[in-house]
Amino acid sequence: MNIKISDLSKVYSNGNKALNNINLEIESGMLGLLGPNGAGKSTLMRIMATLMLPSSGKVTVNDFDLVKHRKEIRTMLGYLPQDFGSFSKLTTWEFLDYSASLAGLKKKSKRSDEVEKMLQSVGLFKFRDRLANKLSGGMKRRLGIAQALIGDPKIVIVDEPTTGLDPEERIRFRNLLSDMSREEIIIILSTHIVGDISSTCSKMALLQNGELMFQGTPNSLVEKAKGHVFRIMAYDSDLNLLKEKYPVISTIPVDDSWEVELVADNLNGYEGKEIAPNLEHAYIYFVEYLLPEMTSERNNSNW
Ligand code: ADP
């Protein structure tokens, strides 16, 4: 599977610029699309799910044009929107059965088998007769992923899937997605939570103000932060200064002082121990130090 996004932009009718000239190639596997609220993630997801037209640019899926070949692309697609969760008066089973028929599973016996299998794999089989509206938030999300995955889609798009889930549900959900992430399918997961990406995604893309600021493996982002994450022991008086100067990741009280973990370009005289960055550190280093440089370079080159 291959998705190619070329020079893609979206301006809403009220003039909001949501995406600006995005270029991205997506291969089989799981891609994490990371960015703060308002970055343009949902807009990109809705365009990819053929629910909205771009203002300009092009998306191809295995050489099918997203705009010209909507029908073909929709048969390959499973989509979990951010606001998934209203089911009228259907039971869990009926809802998934209906989703399966929309996904092209016309034969009743085959559909039944698939619905049962999918309910088992998301842990909802014993709730099959419960009204879907009466499921808990986490269960609704699981039903959401089940309806996105039923019918063997080749592209699965999930928008902020872990929002509102407790930590245990979040981990279950991630595991479920990574179990599904087989060789020949593309899963695109959008999130503003770094932890959603680190454990599951082989590739990531970072959106900010409608622009694609980074694409690559999570490890390659982590590499960029090497030598820029420190652990410092600080007294109360220093702690506030450090917080003013640097993005502080954590502060742990130790005896009469604090163990502070922070991200910095350099420590400017403070004594600290360099520590190995994780993806959260790397994201913060990127956003706080590398992005401003990139943005000012772009602005300068526009002059
Ligand atoms: P994210 O999913 O990263 O939070 P969105 O794609 O929802 O970002 O939003 C990107 C930008 O587009 C924001 O500035 C948002 O206010 C704007 N936007 C989103 N949806 C609409 C809409 N239907 N009409 C006008 N502006 C919109």
Side-chain angles (χ1 to χ4, degrees):
M1 288 300 297
N2 172 285
I3 299 178
K4 210 169 178 178
I5 301 173
S6 317
D7 302 326
L8 189 77
S9 295
K10 175 73 187 179
V11 183
Y12 283 102
S13 52
N14 67 356
N16 275 355
K17 287 187 182 154
L19 295 174
N20 185 13
N21 216 27
I22 303 291
N23 287 288
L24 180 64
E25 197 161 343
I26 307 169
E27 303 287 344
S28 300
M30 178 137 44
L31 171 83
L33 185 62
L34 184 67
N37 286 327
K41 303 182 298 295
S42 291
T43 303
L44 182 58
M45 305 263 106
R46 287 199 291 263
I47 292 174
M48 309 274 280
T50 73
L51 298 174
M52 195 165 69
L53 290 171
S55 305
S56 60
K58 193 169 168 176
V59 182
T60 55
V61 178
N62 280 0
D63 294 333
F64 284 118
D65 184 294
L66 190 79
V67 176
K68 290 186 197 140
H69 300 110
R70 287 175 164 236
K71 221 170 125 200
E72 291 83 347
I73 288 176
R74 278 185 183 166
T75 61
M76 301 185 214
L77 197 76
Y79 176 50
L80 172 58
Q82 202 174 349
D83 51 9
F84 175 82
S86 94
F87 311 96
S88 59
K89 281 233 172 324
L90 297 178
T91 64
T92 301
W93 178 284
E94 286 165 345
F95 177 79
L96 198 56
D97 187 56
Y98 176 63
S99 310
S101 62
L102 290 182
L105 289 167
K106 299 290 178 222
K107 215 169 142 215
K108 196 151 189 251
S109 58
K110 168 118 172 59
R111 201 163 71 228
S112 256
D113 288 350
E114 287 298 308
V115 169
E116 178 169 344
K117 223 164 57 190
M118 193 53 80
L119 285 176
Q120 296 280 15
S121 76
V122 297
L124 287 178
F125 186 70
K126 62 178 178 190
F127 302 102
R128 62 191 176 281
D129 295 326
R130 186 180 286 190
L131 282 177
N133 273 332
K134 303 274 182 219
L135 297 174
S136 72
M139 289 178 188
K140 279 184 186 161
R141 284 266 139 201
R142 277 190 262 153
L143 183 56
I145 197 69
Q147 64 79 37
L149 291 171
I150 203 149
D152 237 351
K154 297 288 173 263
I155 304 165
V156 178
I157 296 177
V158 287
D159 197 356
E160 298 273 358
T162 64
T163 304
L165 297 187
D166 61 37
E168 206 178 319
E169 281 277 358
R170 182 169 287 162
I171 290 166
R172 268 184 83 144
F173 193 88
R174 280 186 212 155
N175 289 341
L176 186 63
L177 273 185
S178 62
D179 285 350
M180 300 290 174
S181 123
R182 300 179 309 267
E183 279 288 291
E184 70 280 16
I185 76 170
I186 290 180
I187 298 182
I188 306 173
L189 170 146
S190 96
T191 184
H192 63 279
I193 300 164
V194 182
D196 282 347
I197 302 238
S198 46
S199 42
T200 40
C201 298
S202 50
K203 288 274 175 62
M204 63 184 285
L206 220 150
L207 270 186
Q208 170 111 337
N209 291 330
E211 308 219 5
L212 185 67
M213 305 310 284
F214 171 84
Q215 53 177 309
T217 62
N219 267 346
S220 63
L221 192 67
V222 169
E223 279 293 315
K224 289 182 189 291
K226 270 197 180 150
H228 299 291
V229 186
F230 300 93
R231 189 170 293 144
I232 292 182
M233 294 309 294
Y235 290 106
D236 277 346
S237 50
D238 283 336
L239 185 62
N240 287 334
L241 266 175
L242 286 171
K243 281 185 178 167
E244 276 170 28
K245 275 192 166 163
Y246 303 105
V248 167
I249 311 273
S250 66
T251 50
I252 302 168
V254 177
D255 301 328
D256 57 347
S257 58
W258 299 90
E259 187 183 276
V260 183
E261 229 172 80
L262 54 77
V263 174
D265 233 357
N266 61 64
L267 277 186
N268 290 327
Y270 282 103
E271 267 193 31
K273 183 171 171 275
E274 203 180 294
I275 58 173
N278 59 28
L279 192 63
E280 191 187 3
H281 298 136
Y283 178 64
I284 290 173
Y285 179 69
F286 188 82
V287 169
E288 298 283 337
Y289 291 96
L290 300 183
L291 256 186
E293 274 177 32
M294 289 166 72
T295 317
S296 82
E297 270 168 29
R298 276 187 197 191
N299 290 344
N300 288 339
S301 65
N302 285 343
W303 280 94

